[in-house]
Amino acid sequence: MDVYAVRSPILGRVPDPVFTALAETLHAHPGTLVLTGAGISTESGIPDYRGPDGTRRVQPMEHGEFVATSAARQRYWARSFVGWGRFTQAEPNVGHEALARLQRAGRVGAVITQNVDGLHQRAGTREVIELHGSLAEVTCLACGARIDRDFLQALMAEANPGFAALATGTAPDGSQVTSQIRPDGDIVLADAVVEGFVQPVCPYCGSDRVKPDVVFFGGSVPKERVERCFALTDAAPALLVLGTSLQVMSGLRFVRRAASHGIPVLAITRGPVRGQELVTHHLDAPLGSSLAALANWSSNHG
Ligand SMILES: NC(=O)c1ccc[n+]([C@@H]2O[C@H](COP(=O)([O-])OP(=O)(O)OC[C@H]3O[C@@H](n4cnc5c(N)ncnc54)[C@H](O)[C@@H]3O)[C@@H](O)[C@H]2O)c1
Ligand SMILES: [Zn+2]
């Protein structure tokens, strides 16, 4: 394993040895499988949970808490209702776009993403497997209905006319709310504000047990989705890991599986990753400029 930290956001004129080793390995393994995490979307303005020092900065929503109480769902939906406008304004960044270019050129194949923001697809990447689902869809835990998030957002807006100003940063009592979007796509609100929110119910059965179709911490990924990702891993020429700390077993298991088959594992992520010893070349550098440089290198090496 080699690890080399590149400080400059732009890879310098002298080729970095780890960058070159990684680019050459990718080049030797067309159709490389990709695994991405929150780090590829931070340059689009959606924060990650951990950051380069590896410590968790944000307390994410827990599955058990969400399904257990109506109060937890009310809090989630109030915060998420306010954050949705900002979350959906995020645009794919140069990293997402360079990855789509690498795929069009056949350098990489399918992309397994742990992200729930839909930015890979919006950048034109195909064969995206959303391991943890998507915030754009909602399911009813009572009747199983699937509900489009934009539709549910419209229903919430109708039921909560006083909340419209919140999206611009002003609470109903005139106080300012923090405008920082969080990784789950929500915005922190005071308890008193949350209590005034009329939470959404399923338009089909009336239950308040509606949940974004994402895997929260403590939830499990549907078995057939995991099996599909294992099959892709088993058939992969190499695995390229982008912007994930691999602290969650959900992603780490594919790295372990690949390494156990002798499949080379490459990583571009700032800071340490769990399972570091399984990574052949780890480029510790910002993803946007690194992926753009990789796509450029690749097109120059036909
Ligand atoms: N955008 C999203 O959809 C989103 C955002 C946050 C969290 N999540 C969810 O939370 C879980 C968190 O796990 P995770 O491992 O994906 O995230 P994580 O927060 O644990 O790790 C992110 C990693 O990316 C690195 N990173 C951040 N910005 C980077 C950049 N510009 N260039 C290079 N590296 C960068 C960080 O140093 C860190 O190692 C995921 O399962 C995901 O479902 C999703
Ligand atoms: Zn229902």
Side-chain angles (χ1 to χ4, degrees):
M1 178 193 63
D2 53 27
V3 185
Y4 189 87
V6 177
R7 287 204 182 78
S8 161
I10 298 160
L11 295 159
R13 275 171 296 156
V14 179
D16 171 80
V18 178
F19 173 82
T20 307
L22 190 144
E24 284 171 350
T25 310
L26 187 70
H27 201 67
H29 298 86
T32 287
L33 178 65
V34 180
L35 172 67
T36 72
I40 197 162
S41 293
T42 55
E43 292 174 46
S44 293
I46 302 174
D48 54 6
Y49 283 136
R50 284 172 213 274
D53 63 358
T55 55
R56 195 194 270 183
R57 290 178 269 117
V58 175
Q59 186 58 38
M61 173 53 75
E62 303 267 350
H63 180 84
E65 190 193 353
F66 186 91
V67 297
T69 70
S70 186
R73 291 192 289 278
Q74 182 191 37
R75 182 162 50 92
Y76 173 83
W77 282 116
R79 294 162 53 136
S80 183
F81 171 73
V82 174
W84 185 242
R86 234 156 296 176
F87 190 76
T88 51
Q89 270 164 22
E91 296 283 343
N93 64 54
V94 286
H96 294 106
E97 276 154 16
L99 187 65
R101 270 208 311 285
L102 283 163
Q103 191 186 54
R104 279 195 295 276
R107 307 320 315 168
V108 305
V111 175
I112 301 171
T113 185
Q114 300 171 90
N115 295 345
V116 294
D117 55 28
L119 292 179
H120 283 305
Q121 296 91 323
R122 282 183 44 205
T125 300
R126 289 153 196 259
E127 270 196 89
V128 179
I129 297 106
E130 294 177 307
L131 192 62
H132 296 160
S134 163
L135 276 183
E137 299 239 18
V138 177
T139 52
C140 173
L141 299 176
C143 75
R146 293 181 71 79
I147 308 149
D148 185 68
R149 172 58 198 266
D150 283 329
F151 174 41
L152 199 73
Q153 186 76 9
L155 295 179
M156 287 190 276
E158 253 172 42
N160 293 280
F163 270 67
L166 268 179
T168 61
T170 310
D173 64 0
S175 64
Q176 288 298 301
V177 294
T178 161
S179 59
Q180 174 63 41
I181 186 94
R182 290 170 21 109
D184 288 337
D186 58 348
I187 280 176
V188 175
L189 299 175
D191 289 349
V193 177
V194 169
E195 279 161 23
F197 186 76
V198 178
Q199 69 193 97
V201 293
C202 171
Y204 303 97
C205 76
S207 167
D208 78 344
R209 297 180 64 225
V210 284
K211 176 181 166 295
D213 195 14
V214 299
V215 179
F216 286 134
F217 272 80
S220 47
V221 180
K223 195 164 177 285
E224 58 292 349
R225 209 181 288 164
V226 178
E227 291 305 324
R228 188 175 165 210
C229 293
F230 272 139
L232 283 166
T233 307
D234 292 346
L239 177 65
L240 175 63
V241 176
L242 303 173
T244 165
S245 63
L246 295 176
Q247 286 299 330
V248 182
M249 184 50 76
S250 187
L252 181 63
R253 59 187 149 185
F254 303 115
V255 172
R256 289 196 171 155
R257 177 87 156 219
S260 75
H261 291 328
I263 295 168
V265 179
L266 310 171
I268 309 177
T269 288
R270 297 198 44 220
V273 292
R274 193 166 160 210
Q276 187 85 46
E277 68 286 356
L278 307 174
V279 180
T280 319
H281 303 295
H282 176 186
L283 184 66
D284 185 335
L287 272 162
S289 51
S290 303
L291 283 171
L294 203 57
N296 191 54
W297 188 97
S298 197
S299 66
N300 281 325
H301 291 74

